[in-house]
């Protein structure tokens, strides 16, 4: 998909190129490997990789793994898989941890310049002395240590002489700065923890605000695109690069985070849902993680076109989930072959149809793509239709099957319902119908009209399947805010997963492969679940044909 839109990021880059500040464009996508990627990350990925593509530049993948405590290889692998699935290619893979030596040298340079000092205050003391938006902070009693003393202490911190939290290294900037981030931010801390890549080599670890600009600069990033919450950190980003004398320092540009109503776009909150068993895992199809969406049947194209549509804005807003679903339907409708599946089967016996006859009915593979032609569906005396497609006492404007009423079976024949059987509880178990042999192909033989067209499957040839109907996990627009943040459980939609067993599907669906989607006529888009097996088919509903939430609101 060629990206021709111009947004404020591209305008800024154009200016930089015109002014000769840079002669090339390099970006990076910098996830912290502490969870799976979600739809919010997809926006950042489209912006980071999309911008590089637009300028024939490169985009690196950089794992921001400066916090040893929360990170894991499992996450590294999944992040790479998700980016590839979206269809983007990184130039190189980097790890912030690869720069630990370089970052440590940079810290020593700052100390030597008199721009960093070791502070013995506790985290609480430091926080308390930071001041507020209205009041300046208070300088640390350790702020004026000599360079020699700072070098010695930082060296001993690095060797592991002090306990976790006993000392920190702070940048010496300005405790009275109106920007709290500039009030002597911590740049290194002691953490006696094993790192997933560097093992026990280090017991001091750089803070994000120190590691990030330097990692960008080390890689030759020109434009460091990030989300709006880092806007206030930009002065610090620039300070670090200036103090360390980088010649063509990267420029940070911020854009708004994606917020999607009815969903959580935060790794921490997603992890919470997984840990508390609210969902079956990171790839539960109700999760808006990329792996959950993939399992649900989302396509990369749908996600990318969604990101394209929401654009790049400079102010935070909440995007409606139905826009994402719109993009999904839009993509699936031309990609998905049609199929017939009966979710809640009701047996129909066509009394005047020969007992052992099997006819091959032709239906379009996809009416939106006539070039694909037709496929054959077997028609027999006994078929299944949906329970909902029959009413013993039809309400007004009910155009489906009812006593004495005639309907069209998709691609097959007109049938009329004559009688029905019930079990001892009064439930209808079977309909008896007659068909009009002259209506073959579902065409009216004499101009008489039938309004309803039903989908059906042959009882003899259908396969059993389990069908999982997914809906929004939450039934409030802002699940993390409306109740105390710890308990989004109060906001759960009790019908977010409905499992139907004994569904009847067309035999060709038995060969459906993971990643293929189908439009089940009148029902929506479906894809085989990872747990599906040839003798125990399982389909996930990716999205219904229509937005049922639009009506409710
Ligand atoms: P989370 O809050 O889910 O943990 P994060 O921002 O901490 O998200 P990172 O791994 O640091 O996650 O994110 C990698 C990149 O993706 C960052 O550049 C970040 O700004 C971006 N990103 C994360 N969430 C969103 C979002 N909702 N919308 C747009 N970009 C996002
Ligand atoms: Mg983060």
């Amino acid at each position: 998909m060629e990206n021709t839109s111009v947004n404020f990021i591209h305008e800024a880059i154009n200016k930089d190129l015109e002014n000769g500040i840079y002669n090339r464009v390099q970006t990076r996508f910098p996830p912290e490997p502490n969870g799976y990627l979600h739809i919010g990350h997809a926006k950042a990925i489209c912006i980071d990789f999309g911008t590089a593509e637009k300028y024939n530049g490169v985009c690196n993948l950089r794992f921001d793994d400066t916090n040893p405590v929360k990170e894991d290889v499992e996450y590294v692998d999944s992040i790479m898989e998700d980016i590839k699935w979206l269809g983007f290619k990184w130039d190189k893979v980097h790890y912030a941890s690869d720069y630990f030596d370089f970052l440590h040298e940079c810290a020593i340079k700052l100390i030597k310049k008199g721009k960093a000092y070791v502070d013995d205050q506790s985290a609480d003391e430091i926080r308390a002395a930071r001041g507020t938006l209205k009041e300046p902070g208070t300088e640390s009693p350790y702020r004026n240590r000599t360079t020699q003393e700072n070098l010695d202490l930082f060296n001993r911190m690095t060797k592991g002489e002090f306990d976790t939290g006993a000392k920190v290294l702070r940048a010496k900037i300005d405790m009275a700065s109106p920007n709290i981030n500039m009030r002597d931010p911590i740049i290194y801390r002691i953490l006696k923890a094993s790192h997933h890549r560097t093992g026990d080599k280090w017991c001091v670890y750089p803070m994000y605000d120190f590691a990030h600009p330097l990692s960008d600069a080390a890689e030759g990033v020109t434009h460091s695109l990030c989300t709006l919450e880092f806007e206030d950190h930009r002065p610090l980003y620039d300070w670090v690069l200036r103090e360390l004398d980088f010649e063509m320092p990267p420029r940070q540009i911020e854009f708004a985070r994606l917020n999607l109503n009815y969903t959580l776009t935060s790794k921490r909150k997603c992890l919470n849902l997984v840990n508390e068993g609210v969902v079956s895992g990171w790839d539960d199809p109700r999760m808006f993680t990329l792996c959950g969406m993939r399992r649900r049947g989302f396509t990369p194209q749908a996600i990318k076109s969604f990101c394209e549509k929401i654009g790049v804005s400079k102010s935070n807003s909440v995007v409606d989930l139905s826009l994402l679903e719109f993009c999904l339907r839009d993509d699936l409708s031309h990609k998905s072959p049609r199929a017939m599946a009966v979710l809640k089967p009701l047996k129909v016996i066509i009394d005047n149809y020969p007992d052992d006859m099997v006819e091959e009915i032709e239906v379009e593979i996809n009416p939106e793509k006539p070039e694909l032609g037709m496929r054959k569906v077997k028609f027999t005396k006994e078929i299944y239709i949906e329970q909902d497609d029959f009413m013993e006492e039809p309400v007004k404007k009910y155009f489906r099957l009812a006593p004495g009423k005639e309907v069209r079976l998709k691609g097959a024949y007109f049938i009329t319902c004559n009688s029905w059987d019930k079990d001892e509880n009064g439930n209808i178990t079977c309909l008896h119908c007659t068909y009009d042999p002259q209506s073959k192909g579902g065409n009216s033989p004499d101009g008489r009209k039938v309004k309803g067209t039903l989908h059906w499957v042959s009882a003899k040839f259908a396969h059993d399947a389990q069908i999982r109907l997914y809906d929004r996990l939450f039934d409030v627009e802002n699940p993390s805010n409306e109740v105390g943040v710890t308990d989004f459980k109060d906001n759960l939609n009790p019908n977010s997963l409905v499992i139907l067993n004994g569904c009847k599907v067309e035999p060709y669906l038995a060969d459906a492969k993971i990643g293929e989607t189908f439009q089940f006529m009148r029902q929506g888009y479906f894809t085989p679940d990872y747990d599906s097996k040839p003798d125990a088919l399982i389909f996930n509903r990716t999205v219904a044909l229509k937005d049922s939430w639009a009506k409710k609101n």
Side-chain angles (χ1 to χ4, degrees):
M1 193 185 327
E2 214 206 331
N3 187 348
T4 49
S5 59
V6 173
N7 55 48
F8 71 91
I9 293 178
H10 298 155
E11 280 166 10
I13 294 177
N14 290 344
K15 257 197 208 129
D16 285 349
L17 293 173
E18 280 160 26
N19 296 337
I21 297 178
Y22 309 103
N23 56 10
R24 59 187 187 91
V25 172
Q26 181 172 332
T27 60
R28 84 287 168 268
F29 174 63
E32 187 180 349
N34 62 350
Y36 285 71
L37 298 181
H38 50 63
I39 182 72
H41 293 108
K43 173 177 177 179
I45 291 171
C46 289
I47 293 174
D48 294 333
F49 286 90
T51 299
E53 264 172 28
K54 184 183 164 94
Y55 290 94
N56 290 316
V58 294
C59 180
N60 289 328
L61 170 60
R62 181 171 71 238
F63 290 103
D64 233 319
D65 57 350
T66 50
N67 182 352
V69 186
K70 289 186 292 182
E71 296 157 0
D72 212 308
V73 221
E74 172 197 351
Y75 299 133
V76 167
D77 295 342
S78 77
I79 288 170
M80 297 207 256
E81 189 184 345
D82 287 346
I83 299 172
K84 282 193 229 158
W85 177 69
L86 278 180
F88 290 109
K89 282 202 186 82
W90 52 83
D91 190 51
K92 297 199 180 72
V93 181
H94 292 293
Y95 294 82
S97 56
D98 290 344
Y99 306 128
F100 281 170
D101 284 295
F102 164 68
L103 297 170
H104 196 261
E105 285 162 24
C106 289
I108 291 173
K109 269 191 201 158
L110 282 186
I111 298 175
K112 287 183 176 162
K113 274 186 88 175
K115 296 288 182 176
Y117 62 95
V118 173
D119 195 345
D120 295 0
Q121 293 184 104
S122 69
D124 285 342
E125 285 167 332
I126 292 176
R127 205 174 303 119
R130 268 179 72 180
T132 62
L133 286 175
K134 290 198 188 101
E135 284 166 49
T138 319
E139 293 190 354
S140 163
Y142 303 96
R143 196 173 198 261
N144 295 315
R145 277 178 160 151
T146 63
T147 301
Q148 261 326 306
E149 193 181 356
N150 282 319
L151 282 174
D152 174 58
L153 287 172
F154 189 54
N155 184 27
R156 287 164 60 197
M157 281 168 67
T158 307
K159 281 191 186 148
E161 278 186 33
F162 309 113
D163 289 340
T164 293
K167 290 186 185 346
V168 292
L169 184 70
R170 297 177 72 177
K172 193 171 183 177
I173 311 179
D174 178 7
M175 288 306 290
S177 170
N179 182 338
I180 295 186
N181 293 302
M182 298 297 273
R183 294 184 187 166
D184 291 8
I186 298 173
I187 57 177
Y188 255 94
R189 58 183 166 161
I190 302 171
L191 264 181
K192 303 237 161 131
S194 265
H195 186 279
H196 76 114
R197 296 189 82 241
T198 57
D200 294 323
K201 179 174 175 196
W202 296 95
C203 60
V204 288
Y205 289 94
M207 300 300 286
Y208 177 88
D209 279 337
F210 186 63
H212 204 85
L214 292 172
S215 309
D216 282 347
E219 281 165 27
V221 167
T222 58
H223 295 87
S224 181
L225 313 176
C226 65
T227 37
L228 224 49
E229 70 271 23
F230 292 103
E231 194 171 20
D232 286 348
H233 298 238
R234 190 179 349 123
L236 179 53
Y237 184 99
D238 293 339
W239 182 91
V240 169
L241 295 173
R242 199 168 55 241
E243 290 301 333
L244 289 161
D245 301 320
F246 281 91
E247 281 192 355
M248 263 211 277
R251 173 218 265 258
Q252 175 178 305
I253 304 176
E254 309 85 14
F255 58 86
R257 278 179 97 82
L258 166 66
N259 301 301
L260 201 54
N261 61 7
Y262 299 100
T263 62
L264 293 177
T265 45
S266 147
K267 282 180 285 189
R268 188 175 48 82
K269 289 172 192 163
C270 291
L271 180 63
N272 214 317
L273 292 172
V274 174
N275 287 344
E276 296 204 19
V278 174
V279 293
S280 63
W282 283 98
D283 70 350
D284 186 301
R286 291 167 294 179
M287 294 274 271
F288 281 85
T289 50
L290 295 180
C291 55
M293 295 169 81
R294 179 159 69 236
R295 183 168 186 172
R296 171 118 167 214
F298 273 78
T299 57
Q301 293 75 14
I303 295 172
K304 286 194 211 169
S305 93
F306 169 73
C307 290
E308 184 95 354
K309 280 204 169 62
I310 57 176
V312 183
S313 86
K314 195 77 191 160
S315 60
N316 280 313
S317 63
V318 180
V319 177
D320 204 78
L321 183 55
S322 47
L323 180 63
L324 178 57
E325 292 174 345
F326 168 84
C327 295
L328 180 58
R329 289 188 191 98
D330 195 45
D331 188 46
L332 291 180
S333 70
H334 69 92
K335 276 190 185 151
S336 309
R338 289 355 185 210
M340 292 195 282
V342 175
L343 274 50
K344 294 180 183 159
L346 172 61
K347 169 82 72 76
V348 173
I349 300 173
I350 302 166
D351 290 318
N352 61 339
Y353 195 86
D355 283 355
D356 296 320
M357 189 152 97
V358 177
E359 277 181 281
E360 296 212 309
I361 301 294
E362 292 217 316
V363 292
E364 308 102 317
I365 291 175
N366 184 344
E368 288 183 35
K369 289 204 164 166
E371 68 276 15
L372 294 179
M374 310 292 280
R375 69 192 171 83
K376 295 193 164 77
V377 190
K378 291 193 168 87
F379 187 79
T380 52
K381 182 183 181 81
E382 295 193 4
I383 59 168
Y384 291 107
I385 63 167
E386 297 286 349
Q387 289 166 15
D388 284 353
D389 283 339
F390 175 75
M391 274 184 108
E392 199 174 356
E393 290 168 31
V395 293
K396 249 190 174 172
K397 296 205 172 161
Y398 187 80
F399 299 121
R400 296 174 256 169
L401 214 47
K405 288 274 158 54
E406 189 171 47
V407 296
R408 173 190 295 106
L409 294 175
K410 170 72 181 172
Y413 290 105
F414 287 6
I415 57 167
T416 304
C417 176
N418 307 309
S419 65
W420 49 96
D421 301 337
K422 286 185 177 176
D423 64 15
E424 62 274 20
N425 300 319
N427 297 317
I428 296 169
T429 53
C430 171
L431 303 183
H432 291 274
C433 296
T434 47
Y435 83 118
D436 176 355
Q438 304 302 316
S439 62
K440 188 161 185 181
N443 302 312
S444 182
D446 53 8
R448 78 178 186 272
K449 294 219 160 51
V450 296
K451 277 203 166 139
T453 300
L454 309 186
H455 60 279
W456 52 273
V457 290
S458 154
K460 187 168 175 190
F461 293 103
H463 286 239
D464 280 327
Q466 181 185 90
I467 291 184
R468 299 176 180 172
L469 302 177
Y470 293 103
D471 200 350
R472 302 175 178 188
L473 189 53
F474 298 98
D475 54 16
V476 297
E477 288 218 24
N478 189 343
S480 53
N481 270 11
E482 296 200 9
V483 168
V485 183
T486 45
D487 217 355
F488 359 93
K489 277 190 186 160
D490 293 353
N491 294 326
L492 289 174
N493 169 9
N495 301 316
S496 65
L497 170 58
V498 174
I499 297 181
L500 301 174
N501 285 304
C503 307
K504 303 285 181 184
V505 304
E506 270 190 61
Y508 97 97
L509 289 171
D511 301 322
K513 309 242 169 352
I514 303 295
E516 289 180 339
T517 52
F518 300 86
Q519 188 194 97
F520 289 0
M521 190 185 160
R522 298 169 70 218
Q523 299 288 4
Y525 296 95
F526 293 78
T527 191
D529 186 72
Y530 298 169
D531 294 338
S532 186
K533 296 189 187 71
D535 57 347
L537 299 174
I538 304 173
F539 287 91
N540 293 331
R541 183 172 69 192
T542 307
V543 66
L545 285 180
K546 290 202 185 90
D547 184 356
S548 60
W549 289 71
K551 275 177 278 167
K552 284 184 202 168
N553 297 331

